[in-house]
Amino acid sequence: MTDKRPIGVFDSGIGGLTVLREIWEAVPQEGTVYFGDNSRTPYGTKSRSTVIKYSLQNMKFLESKDVKMIVVACNTASAYAYEELKKRAKVPVVEVVTPGADVACRATKNGKIGIIATKATVSTGVYKAAVEKRAAELGLENIEIFQQACPLFVSLAEEGWWNTEVARLTAEEYLKPLKEAHVDTLVMACTHYPLLSKVIQEVMGEDVVLINTGEATAKVVKELLAKEGTASESLESPVREFYTSDEPALFEQVATPFLGAGLPSGTKHFTTDRYEVTV
Ligand code: DGL
Protein backbone atom coordinates (compact mmCIF):
# COMPACT_ATOMS: atom_id res chain seq x y z
CA MET A 1 0.00 0.00 0.00
CA THR A 2 1.47 3.36 -0.96
CA ASP A 3 -0.05 6.75 -0.33
CA LYS A 4 1.22 9.32 -2.81
CA ARG A 5 -0.68 12.26 -1.34
CA PRO A 6 1.77 14.97 -0.27
CA ILE A 7 2.51 16.26 3.23
CA GLY A 8 1.32 19.84 3.81
CA VAL A 9 3.70 22.17 5.64
CA PHE A 10 3.05 25.76 6.65
CA ASP A 11 4.89 28.57 8.37
CA SER A 12 4.51 32.30 8.81
CA GLY A 13 7.10 32.67 6.04
CA ILE A 14 10.42 31.09 5.30
CA GLY A 15 11.55 29.79 8.72
CA GLY A 16 9.58 26.58 8.21
CA LEU A 17 11.91 25.71 5.35
CA THR A 18 14.43 24.57 7.98
CA VAL A 19 11.79 22.02 9.04
CA LEU A 20 10.97 21.15 5.43
CA ARG A 21 14.59 20.33 4.66
CA GLU A 22 14.68 17.96 7.62
CA ILE A 23 11.47 16.30 6.37
CA TRP A 24 13.04 15.86 2.92
CA GLU A 25 16.07 14.31 4.60
CA ALA A 26 14.01 11.94 6.80
CA VAL A 27 11.42 10.86 4.21
CA PRO A 28 12.87 11.72 0.78
CA GLN A 29 10.22 9.79 -1.15
CA GLU A 30 7.35 11.95 0.22
CA GLY A 31 5.81 14.79 -1.78
CA THR A 32 5.40 18.12 0.01
CA VAL A 33 3.30 21.25 -0.40
CA TYR A 34 4.75 24.23 1.47
CA PHE A 35 2.80 27.38 2.26
CA GLY A 36 4.69 30.43 3.54
CA ASP A 37 2.45 33.20 4.81
CA ASN A 38 5.03 35.86 3.96
CA SER A 39 2.56 38.69 3.52
CA ARG A 40 1.34 38.29 7.12
CA THR A 41 4.66 37.45 8.76
CA PRO A 42 5.80 37.69 11.54
CA TYR A 43 3.42 35.66 13.67
CA GLY A 44 5.70 36.00 16.70
CA THR A 45 4.47 39.49 17.53
CA LYS A 46 0.75 38.88 16.86
CA SER A 47 -2.06 38.06 19.25
CA ARG A 48 -3.23 34.56 20.02
CA SER A 49 -6.56 34.93 18.18
CA THR A 50 -4.86 36.29 15.07
CA VAL A 51 -2.33 33.45 14.94
CA ILE A 52 -5.14 30.90 15.42
CA LYS A 53 -7.16 32.49 12.61
CA TYR A 54 -4.20 32.56 10.22
CA SER A 55 -3.25 28.98 11.07
CA LEU A 56 -6.80 27.69 10.46
CA GLN A 57 -6.86 29.48 7.10
CA ASN A 58 -3.50 27.99 6.15
CA MET A 59 -4.75 24.55 7.12
CA LYS A 60 -7.84 24.95 4.92
CA PHE A 61 -5.62 25.75 1.97
CA LEU A 62 -3.39 22.71 2.53
CA GLU A 63 -6.44 20.48 2.93
CA SER A 64 -7.66 21.74 -0.44
CA LYS A 65 -4.40 20.29 -1.84
CA ASP A 66 -5.42 16.81 -0.65
CA VAL A 67 -2.56 16.43 1.81
CA LYS A 68 -2.33 13.37 4.06
CA MET A 69 -0.75 15.17 7.01
CA ILE A 70 -0.18 18.77 8.10
CA VAL A 71 3.05 19.93 9.71
CA VAL A 72 2.87 23.21 11.60
CA ALA A 73 6.46 24.27 10.87
CA CYS A 74 6.24 27.36 13.07
CA ASN A 75 6.74 27.37 16.81
CA THR A 76 4.47 30.36 17.33
CA ALA A 77 1.60 28.74 15.41
CA SER A 78 2.24 25.43 17.20
CA ALA A 79 2.20 27.15 20.60
CA TYR A 80 -0.97 29.15 19.97
CA ALA A 81 -3.01 27.16 17.47
CA TYR A 82 -2.20 23.44 17.66
CA GLU A 83 -5.16 22.45 19.85
CA GLU A 84 -7.59 24.29 17.58
CA LEU A 85 -6.00 22.88 14.41
CA LYS A 86 -6.14 19.34 15.76
CA LYS A 87 -9.82 19.74 16.67
CA ARG A 88 -10.79 20.86 13.17
CA ALA A 89 -8.33 18.94 10.98
CA LYS A 90 -9.36 16.21 8.55
CA VAL A 91 -5.86 14.68 8.65
CA PRO A 92 -3.21 14.21 11.37
CA VAL A 93 -1.46 17.41 12.48
CA VAL A 94 2.16 17.47 13.67
CA GLU A 95 3.51 20.41 15.64
CA VAL A 96 7.10 21.33 16.49
CA VAL A 97 6.92 21.88 20.26
CA THR A 98 6.52 18.35 21.69
CA PRO A 99 9.31 16.74 19.58
CA GLY A 100 11.77 19.46 20.66
CA ALA A 101 10.79 19.05 24.32
CA ASP A 102 11.35 15.30 24.14
CA VAL A 103 14.85 15.59 22.64
CA ALA A 104 15.81 18.28 25.18
CA CYS A 105 14.77 16.10 28.13
CA ARG A 106 16.77 13.18 26.79
CA ALA A 107 19.84 15.35 26.15
CA THR A 108 20.22 17.22 29.43
CA LYS A 109 22.65 15.95 32.03
CA ASN A 110 22.50 18.72 34.63
CA GLY A 111 18.72 19.29 34.23
CA LYS A 112 19.12 22.93 33.15
CA ILE A 113 17.35 23.48 29.84
CA GLY A 114 17.28 26.77 27.93
CA ILE A 115 14.55 27.67 25.45
CA ILE A 116 15.03 30.48 22.93
CA ALA A 117 12.04 31.57 20.89
CA THR A 118 9.88 34.48 19.72
CA LYS A 119 8.17 36.67 22.31
CA ALA A 120 4.84 35.01 21.53
CA THR A 121 6.14 31.47 22.02
CA VAL A 122 7.83 32.42 25.29
CA SER A 123 4.74 34.19 26.59
CA THR A 124 2.45 31.21 26.00
CA GLY A 125 4.60 29.06 28.30
CA VAL A 126 3.71 26.14 26.03
CA TYR A 127 7.31 25.02 25.61
CA LYS A 128 8.02 25.17 29.30
CA ALA A 129 4.90 23.12 29.97
CA ALA A 130 5.85 20.59 27.26
CA VAL A 131 9.35 20.14 28.73
CA GLU A 132 7.94 19.78 32.25
CA LYS A 133 5.39 17.21 31.07
CA ARG A 134 7.99 15.18 29.15
CA ALA A 135 10.44 15.35 32.07
CA ALA A 136 7.75 13.98 34.39
CA GLU A 137 6.96 11.17 31.93
CA LEU A 138 10.65 10.25 31.77
CA GLY A 139 10.94 10.43 35.54
CA LEU A 140 13.48 13.26 35.48
CA GLU A 141 13.72 15.27 38.64
CA ASN A 142 15.09 18.74 39.29
CA ILE A 143 14.54 20.06 35.79
CA GLU A 144 15.04 23.82 35.58
CA ILE A 145 13.86 25.75 32.53
CA PHE A 146 15.19 29.13 31.42
CA GLN A 147 13.37 30.95 28.61
CA GLN A 148 14.66 33.80 26.53
CA ALA A 149 12.95 35.66 23.68
CA CYS A 150 15.38 36.53 20.86
CA PRO A 151 13.22 38.53 18.42
CA LEU A 152 16.14 40.02 16.47
CA PHE A 153 17.35 36.56 15.45
CA VAL A 154 14.45 36.35 12.98
CA SER A 155 15.57 39.48 11.10
CA LEU A 156 19.22 38.42 11.21
CA ALA A 157 18.32 35.04 9.71
CA GLU A 158 16.18 36.59 6.96
CA GLU A 159 18.89 39.12 6.17
CA GLY A 160 21.42 36.31 5.69
CA TRP A 161 23.60 37.75 8.46
CA TRP A 162 24.26 34.38 10.03
CA ASN A 163 27.95 34.42 10.76
CA THR A 164 28.53 38.12 11.24
CA GLU A 165 29.77 40.29 14.06
CA VAL A 166 26.31 41.77 14.53
CA ALA A 167 24.87 38.26 14.92
CA ARG A 168 27.56 37.41 17.47
CA LEU A 169 26.99 40.57 19.53
CA THR A 170 23.23 40.04 19.45
CA ALA A 171 23.64 36.42 20.51
CA GLU A 172 25.99 37.37 23.34
CA GLU A 173 23.43 39.82 24.69
CA TYR A 174 20.44 37.49 24.44
CA LEU A 175 22.22 34.36 25.64
CA LYS A 176 24.00 35.89 28.63
CA PRO A 177 21.33 34.87 31.19
CA LEU A 178 21.30 31.32 29.83
CA LYS A 179 25.07 31.06 30.06
CA GLU A 180 24.97 32.40 33.60
CA ALA A 181 22.34 29.79 34.45
CA HIS A 182 24.71 27.07 33.12
CA VAL A 183 22.16 25.45 30.84
CA ASP A 184 23.66 22.36 29.19
CA THR A 185 20.89 22.02 26.59
CA LEU A 186 19.39 24.77 24.46
CA VAL A 187 16.25 24.38 22.37
CA MET A 188 16.08 26.57 19.26
CA ALA A 189 12.33 26.94 19.53
CA CYS A 190 11.92 29.13 16.48
CA THR A 191 12.27 27.81 12.96
CA HIS A 192 14.59 30.64 11.94
CA TYR A 193 17.19 30.02 14.59
CA PRO A 194 18.96 26.94 13.16
CA LEU A 195 20.45 29.28 10.55
CA LEU A 196 22.28 31.04 13.37
CA SER A 197 23.33 27.81 15.06
CA LYS A 198 27.05 28.33 14.41
CA VAL A 199 27.09 31.65 16.23
CA ILE A 200 24.74 30.38 18.96
CA GLN A 201 26.96 27.35 19.53
CA GLU A 202 30.11 29.48 19.69
CA VAL A 203 28.56 31.87 22.18
CA MET A 204 27.13 29.11 24.38
CA GLY A 205 30.25 26.95 24.19
CA GLU A 206 30.70 23.62 22.50
CA ASP A 207 29.59 21.54 25.49
CA VAL A 208 26.05 22.87 25.26
CA VAL A 209 23.73 20.65 23.20
CA LEU A 210 21.74 22.66 20.65
CA ILE A 211 18.37 21.19 19.73
CA ASN A 212 17.02 21.74 16.22
CA THR A 213 13.27 21.21 16.58
CA GLY A 214 12.95 20.63 12.82
CA GLU A 215 15.08 17.51 13.02
CA ALA A 216 13.06 16.19 15.96
CA THR A 217 9.80 16.95 14.13
CA ALA A 218 10.89 15.17 10.94
CA LYS A 219 11.43 12.01 12.99
CA VAL A 220 7.89 12.26 14.34
CA VAL A 221 6.57 12.70 10.78
CA LYS A 222 8.36 9.54 9.69
CA GLU A 223 7.04 7.54 12.65
CA LEU A 224 3.50 8.81 12.16
CA LEU A 225 3.48 7.92 8.45
CA ALA A 226 4.50 4.39 9.38
CA LYS A 227 1.90 4.19 12.15
CA GLU A 228 -0.92 5.52 9.97
CA GLY A 229 0.13 3.34 7.04
CA THR A 230 0.29 6.42 4.80
CA ALA A 231 3.96 6.36 3.77
CA SER A 232 4.73 6.65 0.08
CA GLU A 233 6.66 3.82 -1.47
CA SER A 234 6.64 5.41 -4.89
CA LEU A 235 9.93 5.43 -6.75
CA GLU A 236 8.92 8.43 -8.86
CA SER A 237 10.40 11.83 -7.95
CA PRO A 238 8.11 13.35 -5.34
CA VAL A 239 6.12 16.51 -5.98
CA ARG A 240 7.57 19.55 -4.18
CA GLU A 241 5.28 22.55 -4.45
CA PHE A 242 5.69 25.99 -2.93
CA TYR A 243 3.11 28.70 -2.30
CA THR A 244 3.59 32.11 -0.75
CA SER A 245 1.14 34.85 0.13
CA ASP A 246 3.73 37.46 -0.98
CA GLU A 247 5.81 37.80 -4.15
CA PRO A 248 7.02 34.39 -5.45
CA ALA A 249 10.29 35.87 -6.78
CA LEU A 250 11.05 37.43 -3.40
CA PHE A 251 10.17 34.18 -1.63
CA GLU A 252 12.56 32.18 -3.82
CA GLN A 253 15.35 34.69 -3.32
CA VAL A 254 15.11 34.63 0.48
CA ALA A 255 14.28 30.92 0.64
CA THR A 256 17.29 29.68 -1.28
CA PRO A 257 19.82 29.81 1.58
CA PHE A 258 17.26 28.37 4.03
CA LEU A 259 16.77 25.28 1.93
CA GLY A 260 20.30 24.60 0.82
CA ALA A 261 19.82 21.90 -1.78
CA GLY A 262 16.50 21.62 -3.60
CA LEU A 263 15.94 25.27 -4.35
CA PRO A 264 12.31 26.23 -4.71
CA SER A 265 11.20 27.05 -8.21
CA GLY A 266 7.79 27.59 -9.76
CA THR A 267 6.53 29.10 -6.50
CA LYS A 268 2.91 30.23 -6.83
CA HIS A 269 1.13 33.11 -5.20
CA PHE A 270 -1.85 32.34 -2.93
CA THR A 271 -3.50 34.18 -0.08
CA THR A 272 -5.41 32.25 2.55
CA ASP A 273 -7.33 35.25 3.95
CA ARG A 274 -10.14 34.32 1.51
CA TYR A 275 -11.12 31.45 3.85
CA GLU A 276 -13.83 32.23 6.37
CA VAL A 277 -12.96 30.81 9.78
CA THR A 278 -14.45 31.39 13.18
CA VAL A 279 -12.12 31.64 16.14
N1 DGL B 1 8.54 30.86 12.26
C1 DGL B 1 8.30 31.55 13.49
C2 DGL B 1 8.46 30.59 14.67
O1 DGL B 1 8.98 29.49 14.56
C3 DGL B 1 9.20 32.75 13.65
C4 DGL B 1 8.88 33.89 12.74
C5 DGL B 1 7.61 34.64 13.09
O2 DGL B 1 7.57 35.33 14.11
O3 DGL B 1 6.67 34.50 12.33
O4 DGL B 1 8.06 30.94 15.76
Side-chain angles (χ1 to χ4, degrees):
M1 182 46 197
T2 179
D3 187 337
K4 280 164 67 179
R5 287 176 300 160
I7 297 170
V9 181
F10 81 83
D11 177 47
S12 57
I14 51 169
L17 295 171
T18 61
V19 181
L20 184 70
R21 77 196 254 182
E22 298 296 342
I23 294 173
W24 284 356
E25 178 85 25
V27 285
Q29 73 288 5
E30 297 294 339
T32 51
V33 180
Y34 183 91
F35 176 72
D37 199 4
N38 298 73
S39 68
R40 300 192 292 191
T41 202
Y43 283 10
T45 51
K46 302 226 163 40
S47 70
R48 179 185 185 83
S49 59
T50 298
V51 175
I52 293 177
K53 180 176 150 200
Y54 289 178
S55 300
L56 288 170
Q57 289 174 325
N58 300 343
M59 180 168 83
K60 276 196 175 237
F61 168 63
L62 290 174
E63 284 183 340
S64 79
K65 295 272 141 200
D66 193 26
V67 297
K68 59 184 168 190
M69 181 183 289
I70 288 172
V71 180
V72 187
C74 172
N75 288 270
T76 309
S78 295
Y80 273 151
Y82 173 63
E83 290 304 324
E84 212 46 51
L85 289 166
K86 198 172 69 169
K87 244 190 265 167
R88 305 196 202 184
K90 298 193 182 92
V91 293
V93 181
V94 174
E95 43 80 48
V96 288
V97 174
T98 321
D102 176 52
V103 180
C105 287
R106 290 174 191 278
T108 187
K109 296 217 163 53
N110 70 3
K112 295 177 198 285
I113 298 175
I115 297 167
I116 50 173
T118 63
K119 280 187 180 159
T121 302
V122 167
S123 75
T124 61
V126 162
Y127 244 104
K128 190 167 177 283
V131 171
E132 281 164 355
K133 181 165 178 267
R134 193 64 192 126
E137 283 165 3
L138 294 170
L140 302 178
E141 281 164 15
N142 303 324
I143 289 285
E144 277 183 89
I145 300 162
F146 303 86
Q147 299 196 87
Q148 175 68 47
C150 307
L152 292 177
F153 280 180
V154 171
S155 317
L156 288 168
E158 293 196 358
E159 203 59 35
W161 290 1
W162 306 341
N163 299 314
T164 59
E165 201 46 31
V166 64
R168 179 176 317 282
L169 290 173
T170 310
E172 269 166 13
E173 196 61 33
Y174 280 144
L175 302 176
K176 209 161 155 191
L178 302 178
K179 281 188 80 171
E180 283 169 6
H182 299 291
V183 304
D184 73 347
T185 304
L186 182 61
V187 186
M188 296 183 285
C190 170
T191 50
H192 280 66
Y193 297 0
L195 293 166
L196 299 169
S197 55
K198 190 165 177 281
V199 162
I200 296 172
Q201 187 80 68
E202 278 166 14
V203 170
M204 290 305 295
E206 60 184 44
D207 291 343
V208 172
V209 180
L210 277 196
I211 311 284
N212 178 345
T213 54
E215 212 178 300
T217 304
K219 254 187 162 171
V220 171
V221 167
K222 189 174 180 172
E223 284 162 11
L224 194 58
L225 287 170
K227 191 171 148 225
E228 298 272 317
T230 51
S232 167
E233 280 153 25
S234 169
L235 296 174
E236 290 164 29
S237 297
V239 174
R240 289 178 172 177
E241 286 182 43
F242 291 89
Y243 292 85
T244 174
S245 57
D246 204 345
E247 272 290 317
L250 187 65
F251 174 84
E252 289 182 1
Q253 188 192 327
V254 189
T256 299
F258 273 68
L259 263 182
L263 310 178
S265 62
T267 302
K268 296 185 194 79
H269 178 258
F270 194 87
T271 50
T272 57
D273 55 5
R274 66 192 73 190
Y275 295 112
E276 285 288 330
V277 294
T278 46
V279 176

